[in-house]
Amino acid sequence: MRFDDSKPKTQNPKLRIAALAGGVGGAKLAHGLQAVLPPGALSVVVNTADDFKLWGLHISPDLDTVMYTLAGVANPQTGWGLAGDTWRALDMLTQYGRDPWFRVGDMDLATHVLRTQLRHEGRTLTEATANLASSLGVRSHLLPMCDEPVETLVETAEGTLNFQDYFVRRRHADTVTGVTFEGIDSARPTSAVSEALGEVAAIVFCPSNPIVSIGPILAVPGMLGLIERSRSVKVAVSPIVGGAALKGPAADMLHTLGHEVSPVGVASLYAGLLDGIVIDRVDAALAPRIEELGIRVEITDTIMNSDADRQALAETVLHFCGTLGAHIEMERAEV
């Protein structure tokens, strides 16, 4: 089978947007950004520290969640996986006496098979990702944070757990006392990531878990330097609304690791990197405390229940970047 390795059309570098993302929340905002930007204007740098091997296959959960969402084929009920997928392969694995604790649908399985084949053929993760994304018609640049293997390890009372063991197998019920990124010292931003974070109008920190989704991206040696040296506007969207995470363990992690469970806690983690942060209306009273950190605040509705919500939030984020000095061209597009 022949794959299309072509890349989305590249816009004027000064009009491009880069986003850092992982998980369902990050994928939703990336989808909104793609919908309101010209084709090829968006680059999404995605966490790969939750990648792992299962049944001999290379699985990239965050990359796939973002890719399926940008392609418009994600399961709308879960936010991950593929719409209309079936589970016959898992049923057969169960017959063989295996525990299918990680839910991989039949169509989703094809993605992992092809990614693994491409890696065995010598393609980098970046090349394999571009190959798969272009085949699905993704019109943005989808970029792994690095090509080297990095593994998120979670410290708990039960010992050190691989992230997927903690998050999926054990349903993130353990109290997290520490997080490390195995292999991070050997990782480096790819040339594609370096280009994406260079001459761009804005860098958007999506509403992803700041510790295990955005955290690994920022921990890649050289990544902070790229972001700090970039003359682009940097804006985050808080994944914490009203003292809780909309999805996943971000709130629990912030609490057990000693951070305030609020947009203030998120802003504090990103202090020194951000020009601004977007927070939900329910947290409006926290704006003065965030501004004391030297970070401007935009207050809006941040919960994304529909495609229209995603686009509205994306437009607000980009307009906010504009008030902070970014020059951005937007266009309304079909999603």
Side-chain angles (χ1 to χ4, degrees):
M1 183 176 182
R2 184 178 181 274
F3 293 94
D4 180 8
D5 282 321
S6 61
K7 295 181 179 180
K9 181 181 177 182
T10 300
Q11 301 292 316
N12 180 333
K14 293 183 179 179
L15 304 180
R16 292 202 310 243
I17 304 297
L20 312 182
V24 174
K28 286 181 176 181
L29 181 57
H31 188 224
L33 290 167
Q34 177 179 260
V36 301
L37 289 168
L42 176 66
S43 296
V44 188
V45 180
V46 182
N47 167 48
T48 58
D50 62 353
D51 285 21
F52 72 120
K53 295 289 181 64
L54 184 66
W55 310 311
L57 300 176
H58 183 145
I59 298 180
S60 297
D62 272 6
L63 274 173
D64 290 341
T65 294
V66 177
M67 179 173 71
Y68 294 155
T69 303
L70 291 179
V73 296
N75 183 329
Q77 280 73 48
T78 62
W80 52 267
L82 286 154
D85 214 343
T86 53
W87 311 94
R88 298 295 300 278
L90 288 192
D91 292 341
M92 194 65 189
L93 282 167
T94 301
Q95 284 201 6
Y96 282 127
R98 303 305 192 267
D99 175 17
W101 59 272
F102 190 87
R103 301 285 290 172
V104 175
D106 299 328
M107 293 190 295
D108 191 25
L109 185 64
T111 300
H112 311 317
V113 168
L114 289 176
R115 177 187 293 112
T116 304
Q117 177 188 357
L118 291 166
R119 297 302 315 281
H120 285 168
E121 291 173 354
R123 308 282 189 102
T124 64
L125 183 58
T126 295
E127 291 168 338
T129 299
N131 204 307
L132 294 168
S134 65
S135 297
L136 291 180
V138 174
R139 60 190 190 92
S140 299
H141 303 270
L142 186 60
L143 305 175
M145 67 185 196
C146 61
D147 283 328
E148 297 80 10
V150 177
E151 181 181 9
T152 296
L153 300 177
V154 179
E155 301 294 335
T156 73
E158 299 299 317
T160 302
L161 302 174
N162 170 275
F163 181 75
Q164 297 303 335
D165 284 337
Y166 156 77
F167 185 64
V168 179
R169 192 197 293 268
R170 300 170 68 91
R171 300 183 181 182
H172 50 85
D174 298 272
T175 298
V176 176
T177 58
V179 174
T180 58
F181 307 120
E182 183 76 19
I184 197 72
D185 290 342
S186 299
R188 295 292 183 273
T190 64
S191 59
V193 168
S194 297
E195 180 182 351
L197 296 176
E199 289 188 75
V200 289
I203 299 173
V204 177
F205 293 58
C206 288
S208 306
N209 187 316
I211 295 170
V212 294
S213 291
I214 304 297
I217 299 174
L218 299 180
V220 174
M223 192 73 74
L224 283 176
L226 286 173
I227 295 172
E228 290 169 347
R229 288 192 299 273
S230 174
R231 290 178 290 182
S232 60
V233 170
K234 291 103 176 177
V235 166
V237 178
S238 174
I240 302 297
V241 177
L246 298 177
K247 193 175 183 67
D252 291 338
M253 281 188 170
L254 285 168
H255 174 68
T256 60
L257 294 176
H259 305 288
E260 182 176 329
V261 185
S262 76
V264 179
V266 175
S268 297
L269 285 170
Y270 296 149
L273 290 176
L274 296 182
D275 298 300
I277 188 169
V278 178
I279 68 175
D280 197 85
R281 296 186 192 279
V282 302
D283 295 310
L286 299 175
R289 292 181 57 202
I290 296 173
E291 290 174 342
E292 288 176 0
L293 299 173
I295 299 171
R296 293 268 298 277
V297 178
E298 178 76 11
I299 300 167
T300 190
D301 297 314
T302 63
I303 297 176
M304 296 173 282
N305 291 322
S306 66
D307 287 352
D309 292 338
R310 299 176 189 186
Q311 292 187 10
L313 180 57
E315 289 177 340
T316 296
V317 169
L318 295 177
H319 282 303
F320 183 37
C321 291
T323 67
L324 297 174
H327 175 64
I328 298 169
E329 292 183 354
M330 288 188 283
E331 62 178 31
R332 176 69 69 173
E334 296 296 326
V335 294

